[in-house]
Amino acid sequence: MFVDSHCHLDRLDSRTHGGDPAAALDAARARGVKQFLAIGVTLDEVPGVAAIAREHDDVVISAGVHPLHSIEQEPEIDAIKETAERFGVVAIGECGLDYHYLEKSPETVPSREVQRERFRRQLIAATELALPVIIHTREAREETLALIREHTDPAVGGVLHCFTEDLDMAREAVRHGFYISLSGIVTFRNAASLREVARKVPLDRLLIETDSPYLAPVPHRGKPNEPAWVVEVAECIAAERGISVEEVAMQTTANFYRLFRAAAPEAPAELRGTLQDAGLLG
Ligand SMILES: [Zn+2]
Ligand SMILES: [Zn+2]
């Protein structure tokens, strides 16, 4: 079975099963995708994501504030914690630093200072709740690593989602208890350095995701993405490592429940024995 560890089920494209999350989830289940983590990108949007999860036993959620979103008021640490607790999230995020668009559109993108403070508050909230963090980072390598080192507990950890950095950064994050999540980008023709990451990061530190509706993998590139296509990400990793897709599926699934331990009690019945043996249900 596969896990889509990062999807935006409240933002699916209308060309994807009419934008209906239930239909998109069914299409994914038919390919063996049996667990989904739906991501909140502002605290205001968490109730909508939670409503989808309530209708589907195999969907768990996170709550966070994305670094690129313009919001009226920066949430206090207590507000982040309160939302997380009210909606029973398994992680804080996505949160992080994204400096890629700062030069192009400085009037719409939150400044470095705003992003840093927003990120810091979410890291502190996550540590206080002992929840893992889902991190979005782009062109902010050193600052991201510094904030992780300062504010997160390696025993709880987190994930660098939709990873696009190099092997050195992946290794540095792994050293601090983090996982690396690969998206459809790993299948892109120009992503040779990311395929090196796919080959060399320890298999027990890898997750897979779609980041639907963004970043559809080859051969679907250019279309709106959907959770069913996490299988193409797993196939690419398997080919790079010279192992079976089943092994990638099994390992990334076990990794998912090890990191997002609050999701383990909700895991599909056929996995419960394995998770119990691994000590992930106690
Ligand atoms: Zn992201
Ligand atoms: Zn995302």
Side-chain angles (χ1 to χ4, degrees), residues 154-175:
V156 179
V159 57
L160 301 187
H161 107 88
C162 195
F163 190 75
T164 53
E165 306 286 336
D166 62 10
L167 187 59
D168 281 348
M169 183 167 186
R171 286 183 167 149
E172 191 54 36
V174 165
R175 264 194 289 279

Side-chain angles (χ1 to χ4, degrees), residues 123-276:
L123 292 176
I124 292 170
T127 298
E128 289 183 7
L129 294 170
L131 283 174
V133 278
I134 299 163
I135 294 181
H136 172 113
T137 179
R138 195 170 180 195
E139 291 176 27
R141 171 201 171 102
E142 289 312 320
E143 287 181 41
T144 300
L145 287 171
L147 283 161
I148 286 175
R149 283 191 208 98
E150 188 175 352
H151 295 293
T152 66
D153 176 358
V156 179
V159 57
L160 301 187
H161 107 88
C162 195
F163 190 75
T164 53
E165 306 286 336
D166 62 10
L167 187 59
D168 281 348
M169 183 167 186
R171 286 183 167 149
E172 191 54 36
V174 165
R175 264 194 289 279
H176 199 76
F178 273 64
Y179 290 74
I180 305 299
S181 180
L182 295 174
S183 68
I185 296 176
V186 74
T187 68
F188 293 2
R189 200 160 48 91
N190 60 358
S193 74
L194 206 50
R195 282 187 287 278
E196 187 192 10
V197 172
R199 286 192 301 274
K200 294 187 176 166
V201 166
L203 194 53
D204 64 0
R205 287 286 155 173
L206 274 183
L207 298 180
I208 51 175
E209 66 171 81
T210 58
D211 207 8
S212 302
Y214 316 108
L215 300 164
V218 172
H220 308 291
R221 202 172 171 186
K223 294 182 202 154
N225 202 359
E226 57 178 280
W229 296 342
V230 78
V231 178
E232 277 75 6
V233 178
E235 286 172 348
C236 177
I237 296 169
E240 287 300 319
R241 299 184 79 107
I243 58 177
S244 68
V245 183
E246 290 71 24
E247 186 170 0
V248 172
M250 194 188 68
Q251 279 284 349
T252 53
T253 296
N255 298 345
F256 177 87
Y257 292 111
R258 198 182 317 114
L259 174 60
F260 301 111
R261 54 181 63 239
E266 322 276 328
E270 67 257 39
L271 265 183
R272 299 188 67 84
T274 316
L275 295 175
Q276 204 113 44

Side-chain angles (χ1 to χ4, degrees), residues 74-148:
E74 294 299 321
E76 302 289 341
I77 294 168
D78 281 347
I80 301 162
K81 288 168 67 177
E82 203 225 319
T83 303
E85 287 182 316
R86 175 148 32 110
F87 293 99
V89 307
V90 303
I92 298 296
E94 56 182 301
C95 57
L97 303 173
D98 189 330
Y99 295 160
H100 180 71
Y101 298 99
L102 271 178
E103 268 173 41
K104 262 185 257 169
S105 25
E107 58 295 316
T108 52
V109 171
S111 69
R112 283 179 165 77
E113 293 68 35
V114 168
Q115 289 192 29
R116 270 197 296 265
E117 177 59 15
R118 183 186 289 182
F119 185 28
R120 194 185 67 87
R121 290 180 189 183
Q122 293 179 81
L123 292 176
I124 292 170
T127 298
E128 289 183 7
L129 294 170
L131 283 174
V133 278
I134 299 163
I135 294 181
H136 172 113
T137 179
R138 195 170 180 195
E139 291 176 27
R141 171 201 171 102
E142 289 312 320
E143 287 181 41
T144 300
L145 287 171
L147 283 161
I148 286 175

